[in-house]
Amino acid sequence: MLTKQLHSFRRGRINVRKEQRQQLVLRNNLEKRIFRRLNTLFRKFVNVQMHLYKEYGVYQPDTAAQSLNEDFFPLLYSHYKRVFQSVYKLNENKYYNKKQEAFVFGRSVDFEEVVITYFNSKQLILSGISISLANRISKTIEQARAENLTLPQIAKLVSDKFLPISRSRAALIARTETHNAASFANHSYHKQVERDLGLKMVKRWVATNDARTRPAHASANGQTVDMNEKFLVGGAEMDFAGDSAGGAKNVVNCRCVIIYADEQDIVVD
């Protein structure tokens, strides 16, 4: 059984561009879906908060942030779960011989526990997003009150200002959180495969080389290390693209992917 599994996992020759394209297509589709839902959520949040402010003249940023998190957290948790499922299934379809048992998905992984662990690691960042938006609205209200605007005028000012901001914020979150979750899921999957099958694996950093690629990521392109080693990207050590250890400068809006391979595979551009 082990011999058959090893034979199925090793691919012999791996085309980097094809692999990169598969990963990016999957992530782009996931990103579009969560963007629509985030945009709707943020628009609803701004509209509800300004309706209440217009009616009662009260806006408390802490309460507003807490209210946003009540919808924001479940939405992102659901998204992370979908991302993990999609990435695991993509890999299973790549390696899985239909006559055999699946490698990881539904066999050797407590899937819900993996998603919960990842989500818990993100809660502080997600809370910061809500607090930041709520506080920016509060600052705008304070400035408008200093100019003696009426409650309806202030509510309209905030709505006019923050509805476009909410769209751009939704796009940034959708792109970054989808990429980071997919990268983490892909890394976790291959770590599990390596442990289960006793393989020696390597990973390769692949950047999207165009005018928008940051110099540090362009320099990291092609960097190949053992599975348990870290990439050196712009002075930061990272396990994978989107790894929070790289800091915001390496994570936000990143489009790089990692190619995982058995050490006996041949990886070609």
Side-chain angles (χ1 to χ4, degrees), residues 1-259:
M1 180 66 173
L2 179 59
T3 302
K4 290 182 179 179
Q5 288 179 323
L6 287 171
H7 177 72
S8 295
F9 180 82
R10 288 177 184 152
R11 289 181 283 164
R13 189 178 183 89
I14 299 173
N15 186 299
V16 169
R17 295 308 158 196
K18 179 180 178 181
E19 189 93 2
Q20 179 189 35
R21 186 165 55 251
Q22 287 178 338
Q23 291 194 42
L24 292 179
V25 167
L26 176 67
R27 297 179 189 200
N28 287 340
N29 289 336
L30 291 165
E31 177 189 325
K32 289 176 183 177
R33 184 179 188 278
I34 191 61
F35 164 71
R36 291 192 295 268
R37 300 184 70 185
L38 283 170
N39 188 41
T40 298
L41 173 63
F42 288 154
R43 290 179 67 86
K44 176 183 175 183
F45 168 73
V46 173
N47 286 333
V48 168
Q49 293 299 319
M50 288 307 96
H51 173 75
L52 294 174
Y53 183 76
K54 184 168 60 175
E55 291 294 316
Y56 304 107
V58 176
Y59 176 80
Q60 298 176 319
D62 290 344
T63 302
Q66 182 178 352
S67 174
L68 177 57
N69 283 338
E70 288 175 359
D71 293 321
F72 187 40
F73 279 13
L75 178 58
L76 263 295
Y77 178 83
S78 175
H79 180 59
Y80 292 150
K81 186 173 181 179
R82 180 181 292 272
V83 170
F84 272 63
Q85 287 174 328
S86 298
V87 170
Y88 275 37
K89 286 180 178 178
L90 177 67
N91 284 320
E92 292 288 89
N93 290 336
K94 186 188 303 177
Y95 304 125
Y96 176 43
N97 183 326
K98 300 300 182 183
K99 297 179 181 179
Q100 299 173 19
E101 187 179 4
F103 279 114
V104 168
F105 194 49
R107 181 170 69 89
S108 59
V109 167
D110 184 341
F111 184 75
E112 290 289 345
E113 185 62 31
V114 173
V115 178
I116 290 171
T117 299
Y118 181 75
F119 175 72
N120 288 341
S121 74
K122 303 291 291 186
Q123 284 202 59
L124 184 60
I125 294 173
L126 299 180
S127 293
I129 291 172
S130 300
I131 292 170
S132 175
L133 178 58
N135 284 341
R136 289 180 67 183
I137 290 175
S138 181
K139 184 176 181 180
T140 300
I141 290 175
E142 290 174 5
Q143 292 172 341
R145 291 182 64 180
E147 297 173 5
N148 294 318
L149 297 183
T150 65
L151 294 183
Q153 287 174 328
I154 294 174
K156 184 177 185 306
L157 174 66
V158 171
S159 295
D160 289 346
K161 179 177 181 179
F162 282 92
L163 289 180
I165 289 176
S166 69
R167 182 178 178 82
S168 62
R169 177 63 62 178
L172 178 63
I173 295 170
R175 186 177 308 114
T176 301
E177 291 305 313
T178 299
H179 180 270
N180 294 354
S183 295
F184 182 91
N186 204 23
H187 188 74
S188 298
Y189 178 93
H190 287 93
K191 288 277 286 185
Q192 189 69 42
V193 167
E194 184 182 57
R195 285 193 295 267
D196 285 358
L197 302 183
L199 301 176
K200 175 68 173 177
M201 296 184 63
V202 295
K203 54 188 179 181
R204 176 172 175 168
W205 188 287
V206 180
T208 301
N209 288 321
D210 58 25
R212 292 188 292 147
T213 303
R214 63 202 82 185
H217 291 194
S219 296
N221 186 52
Q223 192 177 142
T224 303
V225 299
D226 288 345
M227 188 69 181
N228 295 310
E229 294 180 353
K230 296 182 184 297
F231 297 104
L232 186 61
V233 185
E237 294 186 339
M238 302 174 67
D239 275 320
F240 49 87
D243 183 357
S244 59
K249 66 178 182 179
N250 282 314
V251 169
V252 176
N253 278 332
C254 175
R255 295 170 295 149
C256 301
V257 301
I258 306 301
I259 306 298

